[in-house]
Amino acid sequence: MQEKSMVVSRRTVLNWIGVTAGAAAMYQAMTALSFAAESNHDRNFALSGAPKGTRVLILGAGLAGMTAAYELRKAGYQVKVLEFNARPGGRCWTLRGGDRFTELGGATQHCEFDKGLYLNPGPWRIPYHHHAVLDYCHKFGVALEPFVQVNYNAMVHSTKAFGGKPQRYREVQADFQGHVAELLSKAVNQHGLDQALTQEDRERLLEVMRKWGALDAGNSYKKSLETSLRRGFAIDDGGGLMPEAVPSEPMDCKALLDSNLWQSIASGQEYEYQSSIFQPVGGMDMIAQAFQKQVNDLIHYNAKVTRIQQNDTGVTVTYQNSDGSGGLQQEQAHWCVCTLPLSILGQLPIDVSAPMMSAIRAVPYESSVKIGLQFKRRFWEQDEHIYGGISYTDTPISKISYPSTDYGKQGKGVLLGAYIWGPNAYEFTAMSPKMRVQKAVEYGAQIHPQYPSEFENGIAVGWHRVPWTNGCYGLWTPETRQQHYKNLCQIDGRIVLAGEHASYIPAWMEGAILSSQDAIKRLHTHIIASAKAA
Amino acid sequence: MRTTFTIATLLSLLASTSVLAEETPMLSTSGKFDQPSGEALFNQVCQGCHMAEGQGSHGAGAYPALATNQKLGAKVYPVYMVSSGQGGMPGFKKYMDDQQIASVVNYVRTHFGNQYADSVTVEDVRAVTQR
C-alpha cells in the first residue's frame, strides 16, 4: 500500500522538485519585481570640487538624506537638512524602554521594555552583499553582530497540520529533503527518468540522493542513525553511564507534503537572507546615530515641509514646525535633494515637470506591521533551546523572531512577536495598539504556550499609521517601473529625488543609500557642468 | 485578569458597535479580505488610515477625511479609489472582490455624514475593475 502510493509520475516528481526549488523560482520572480538585485556600490565613492558658495538643501534626515549631507559637505557644498521628526534616521529606527510613539489618529504608546531591550520597527537585518550600508557601518565604527536568519531548532507551525502542534524546522527540513530524495530515487529506479538521463547519470543521481537525503543503502528515508544526524535524536548521546542515543522517527511523507510546512524552509536560501547577515549591536538606529555624529550640525529638526518651489536660479522650500506651532518659514538654496517618501511628497505642492509628478503619484505604499513583546524571561532559550532565528506560522502574526543577541542572559527578553504583510497587516493597523499586542500574544501562544504567563508588555507599529511615511515602502510593479521609474530619478531643474523609492532595492537601507549616492553624483556632475557653462 | 476587566469595563461603558468590533476582530485567513459586509471592511481595513469616524488624519502628510466628503457624490470616484488606489493609497482589487468593493463604498457613502441615495452595484464596480 505504502509502495503503491509512492508510484508517482515523472511529471509529479519534477513538480515536487520544482517546489523544493522554490528559492530559485522565487528569486526569479523577485528579480522581475526588482527585489533581489545586488547592490552596485562604489567602495571609493567620494565627490569633490563643489563650486564655491553653492548651497544644497536636503529634505529628510533618513539614511538617504544623511548620506547626501555627509558626502555633499565633504565635496565642499554648503548643506542644510530639514527633518520632520525630532530625531534622525527615518525608518532606520529603534524603540526602547522610555520611548514614546504617537501614531496617526493620536494613539500614544509608551515603550516599557527593560534596559537594553528593543524593537526595530523598520529594517532589522543587513545582508552581507549590502555593501554600501556595511561600508558606512565600518567607516563610522558601528559594531555589527550576526543576525540569525535560519534556526534549525525554531518552529514551523500550521493550524491545519499535525493537530496545530508546531514542528521543529530541523525535522521538517531533514524529512522533506529525505522524502524528496527517496521519491526521486524511486522515479529513477522505475525508469521515470530514463529519457532525461543516461545510465551513468542515473547511478550518479542515486548516489547523490543517498548522501543529500540521508537515505539508506536501499534508497529509503527512514528512522536511522543517519537520518537522526539530520533531524535530531529522540534521546541525545550523553557521557558516562547515561542512556545511549535513540534515533527519532521521521514524519510521514504524505503528512509532511500535506502540511505545507516545507514552504517555510526555503526562505533562508534566498539571496537576501543567506548567511552571513548582520544587525548593529544595540539596535538598527545605531546606524542613524553614527550618521548623526557626522552631520547633526546640518539638521534642522521638527520641520514639516509644506511647499517646494524652484525657478532658474534656485529652490525655495516652505516649512513650519512639525507640531503646527509658529508661522511658515522658508529656506533657500541653489539645489535640492528631496528624500521625502513619495506618499508624503505626492501631497505637497512642488514645482516639477509633469512626468516627474506623475511618477511621484504612481507609487502606493505597502502595509506592514511589527510587534515587539517583552517576557519575564527568555523561555524560548531556557525551555526550547531556540537561540535567535525565526519561527514561521500560518496564523496572522506570520513570524516570531527571537533576539540574535545576549544569549543565555537572565532576566527579561524581547522578541519580535509579529511581522505581518498583506491583508492581515491592514487588519492589524486598523486595531488599537493595545489590541494588536493582545492578538499577537493570543496567536503566539499557539506556538509557545508560555506566552500568557510570561508576557509583560508590548509595542506595535503599523506602518500606515506612522506619521512621517504613511506606509512601509514604495510598492513598484514591473509596469509602473517601466512607465515612471526613470522619470522619477531624473534631475528636474534644480531638484533630484532619493530614497528607497528611487532604487531597485525597495524597502532596504541599501536602496536608500545607493539611490542617494547615485542622485548626488549626477547632481554634482550637473552642477559642475552648469557652472562651467555659466 | 486585566484583559477581562478591560473588556468588561468597555462593554459596560460603551455600547458603540465600533468598540465591540475592536474587541473581537476576526482576521482573514484566505490571503484576501474575508469580511463580507461594508461595515466590517471599513472597520478592519479603511479605518487603518481614514480612522474610526472617517475623519482622516494629519502628520508629515495626511489621510483625507471620508466624513462629509463631497467627492463621494460621484460614485465612480470611491469605486475607483478603493479598487485601483491613487498616489500613496494602494488599490484593493487584489484583496477584495467586486461585491466587497461595492459594499464598503456603499457603507462609506451612507455613514459619517454622507447620505448618498444611489447605491453602487456590483456591475458598477465591474465596469471599473474590468474583471
Side-chain angles (χ1 to χ4, degrees):
Chain A
M1 190 65 202
Q2 173 73 5
E3 195 57 33
K4 196 177 174 194
S5 72
M6 287 296 183
V7 177
V8 287
S9 72
R10 175 182 166 193
R11 190 168 157 190
T12 305
V13 172
L14 290 177
N15 218 4
W16 281 336
I17 304 298
V19 168
T20 59
M26 177 65 88
Y27 178 75
Q28 280 186 341
M30 304 261 292
T31 306
L33 291 169
S34 50
F35 258 90
E38 176 162 19
S39 166
N40 198 358
H41 172 55
D42 171 9
R43 177 145 242 177
N44 301 309
F45 183 91
L47 307 175
S48 61
K52 229 183 170 75
T54 306
R55 294 194 305 277
V56 181
L57 181 61
I58 296 165
L59 306 181
L63 292 193
M66 290 196 288
T67 296
Y70 173 77
E71 297 293 351
L72 288 174
R73 172 155 71 179
K74 273 209 316 185
Y77 289 97
Q78 293 177 21
V79 176
K80 182 157 186 177
V81 187
L82 298 179
E83 165 56 44
F84 176 81
N85 284 320
R87 59 161 185 89
R91 282 164 275 182
C92 176
W93 177 33
T94 300
L95 284 167
R96 300 181 180 82
D99 287 342
R100 194 182 58 183
F101 171 54
T102 300
E103 63 180 38
L104 288 170
T108 296
Q109 298 177 78
H110 298 271
C111 186
E112 297 171 44
F113 294 163
D114 261 31
K115 192 170 165 40
L117 305 178
Y118 63 84
L119 168 73
N120 294 322
W124 53 314
R125 44 196 170 180
I126 310 169
Y128 68 87
H129 47 84
H130 281 191
H131 309 297
V133 176
L134 289 172
D135 275 1
Y136 281 116
C137 286
H138 301 333
K139 187 185 286 191
F140 297 156
V142 177
L144 301 173
E145 62 192 350
F147 175 95
V148 178
Q149 171 72 35
V150 176
N151 182 335
Y152 278 71
N153 204 39
M155 305 291 192
V156 279
H157 169 248
S158 166
T159 50
K160 301 180 200 73
F162 299 107
K165 188 173 178 289
Q167 306 295 303
R168 295 286 183 177
Y169 183 105
R170 183 186 70 237
E171 297 168 355
V172 171
Q173 203 280 334
D175 292 356
F176 185 67
Q177 191 166 316
H179 286 310
V180 167
E182 180 180 314
L183 287 167
L184 188 58
S185 302
K186 283 198 164 69
V188 168
N189 284 331
Q190 290 163 8
H191 308 289
L193 295 176
D194 285 3
Q195 287 185 333
L197 302 172
T198 65
Q199 174 65 25
E200 195 184 336
D201 286 340
R202 293 198 294 273
E203 281 166 15
R204 204 156 39 200
L205 182 60
L206 287 174
E207 189 190 337
V208 168
M209 285 302 108
R210 279 193 292 273
K211 285 184 179 159
W212 185 69
L215 307 185
D216 65 11
N219 300 321
S220 289
Y221 182 77
K222 58 189 182 195
K223 182 174 174 179
S224 68
L225 172 67
E226 285 68 31
T227 57
S228 285
L229 284 169
R230 301 282 176 93
R231 69 188 315 286
F233 290 80
I235 297 176
D236 277 335
D237 268 322
L241 296 177
M242 291 175 175
E244 286 182 39
V246 176
S248 60
E249 189 70 56
M251 299 175 203
D252 174 66
C253 178
K254 177 134 183 20
L256 180 56
L257 290 176
D258 287 349
S259 75
N260 280 335
L261 289 179
W262 40 267
Q263 288 186 343
S264 301
I265 61 177
S267 81
Q269 297 169 23
E270 289 168 27
Y271 185 41
E272 284 169 328
Y273 307 124
Q274 289 169 7
S275 301
S276 297
I277 180 165
F278 303 98
Q279 65 181 11
V281 176
M284 190 53 82
D285 74 349
M286 291 299 169
I287 298 179
Q289 290 181 30
F291 270 98
Q292 182 184 23
K293 282 199 187 105
Q294 305 293 328
V295 298
N296 195 44
D297 57 316
L298 305 177
I299 305 174
H300 180 118
Y301 294 101
N302 297 307
K304 171 177 167 168
V305 173
T306 59
R307 184 168 190 186
I308 302 168
Q309 294 166 281
Q310 65 168 324
N311 59 27
D312 291 345
T313 56
V315 178
T316 302
V317 171
T318 307
Y319 65 98
Q320 63 184 124
N321 293 337
S322 294
D323 64 5
S325 68
L328 295 177
Q329 302 170 69
Q330 288 194 326
E331 190 68 42
Q332 294 185 323
H334 298 104
W335 306 90
C336 176
V337 179
C338 176
T339 72
L340 305 186
L342 301 181
S343 48
I344 305 297
L345 185 60
Q347 301 183 352
L348 300 179
I350 172 172
D351 298 340
V352 289
S353 66
M356 180 178 272
M357 198 63 226
S358 299
I360 290 169
R361 300 275 294 154
V363 185
Y365 269 54
E366 182 64 297
S367 188
S368 181
V369 175
K370 271 193 184 167
I371 301 174
L373 303 175
Q374 175 166 295
F375 295 91
K376 291 173 197 157
R377 62 188 183 94
R378 296 166 73 108
F379 61 81
W380 52 92
E381 296 181 355
Q382 294 159 8
D383 303 352
E384 290 155 325
H385 321 290
I386 298 173
Y387 299 92
I390 298 171
S391 286
Y392 298 86
T393 167
D394 69 345
T395 62
I397 57 173
S398 176
K399 294 178 181 70
I400 295 174
S401 178
Y402 314 91
S404 293
T405 194
D406 285 340
Y407 303 119
K409 196 171 182 183
Q410 295 301 306
K412 297 170 185 187
V414 166
L415 52 65
L416 177 65
Y419 185 25
I420 314 170
W421 300 90
N424 293 141
Y426 289 96
E427 291 169 341
F428 267 83
T429 304
M431 297 175 197
S432 69
K434 193 177 169 188
M435 178 59 69
R436 289 176 209 146
V437 170
Q438 183 184 318
K439 295 305 275 187
V441 173
E442 272 176 42
Y443 284 115
Q446 296 185 32
I447 293 119
H448 297 292
Q450 303 95 324
Y451 260 48
S453 58
E454 304 292 350
F455 170 72
E456 283 199 333
N457 61 70
I459 193 160
V461 176
W463 276 95
H464 268 131
R465 288 263 177 109
V466 171
W468 66 92
T469 57
N470 286 18
C472 179
Y473 72 96
L475 188 59
W476 289 95
T477 65
E479 293 75 29
T480 54
R481 285 250 184 226
Q482 176 72 23
Q483 200 180 344
H484 296 291
Y485 182 74
K486 283 187 177 157
N487 293 337
L488 188 84
C489 295
Q490 297 304 312
I491 297 169
D492 191 301
R494 294 178 165 270
I495 297 170
V496 67
L497 309 189
E500 59 82 20
H501 49 273
S503 83
Y504 277 96
I505 317 174
W508 290 90
M509 298 186 294
E510 183 77 357
I513 291 180
L514 286 183
S515 155
S516 182
Q517 288 186 340
D518 182 68
I520 60 176
K521 189 174 172 181
R522 285 184 288 117
L523 183 66
H524 178 62
T525 305
H526 180 71
I527 292 171
I528 301 279
S530 307
K532 278 185 183 149
Chain B
M1 193 57 207
R2 196 167 66 178
T3 307
T4 313
F5 171 77
T6 306
I7 292 170
T9 310
L10 280 171
L11 286 178
S12 62
L13 293 178
L14 302 157
S16 113
T17 49
S18 64
V19 170
L20 285 173
E22 158 69 6
E23 288 303 322
T24 55
M26 292 289 292
L27 297 176
S28 300
T29 56
S30 66
K32 299 186 173 189
F33 289 115
D34 297 342
Q35 298 83 354
S37 77
E39 180 180 12
L41 285 164
F42 178 85
N43 285 333
Q44 290 196 254
V45 187
C46 315
Q47 182 190 181
C49 295
H50 296 283
M51 303 298 157
E53 303 302 324
Q55 74 271 33
S57 57
H58 293 268
Y63 290 125
L66 304 180
T68 53
N69 186 328
Q70 293 189 350
K71 285 182 177 173
L72 299 178
K75 63 184 180 183
V76 67
Y77 179 77
V79 168
Y80 177 83
M81 290 300 288
V82 173
S83 61
S84 304
Q86 193 182 83
M89 175 175 171
F92 288 89
K93 204 159 49 173
K94 65 178 171 178
Y95 295 139
M96 291 184 196
D97 64 25
D98 291 349
Q99 179 59 59
Q100 287 173 304
I101 293 173
S103 298
V104 74
V105 168
N106 282 331
Y107 179 78
V108 172
R109 291 179 86 241
T110 53
H111 289 77
F112 314 119
N114 301 309
Q115 291 176 316
Y116 298 103
D118 56 332
S119 287
V120 170
T121 64
V122 178
E123 287 68 36
D124 292 337
V125 176
R126 195 168 296 140
V128 173
T129 58
Q130 298 281 313
R131 60 182 174 182

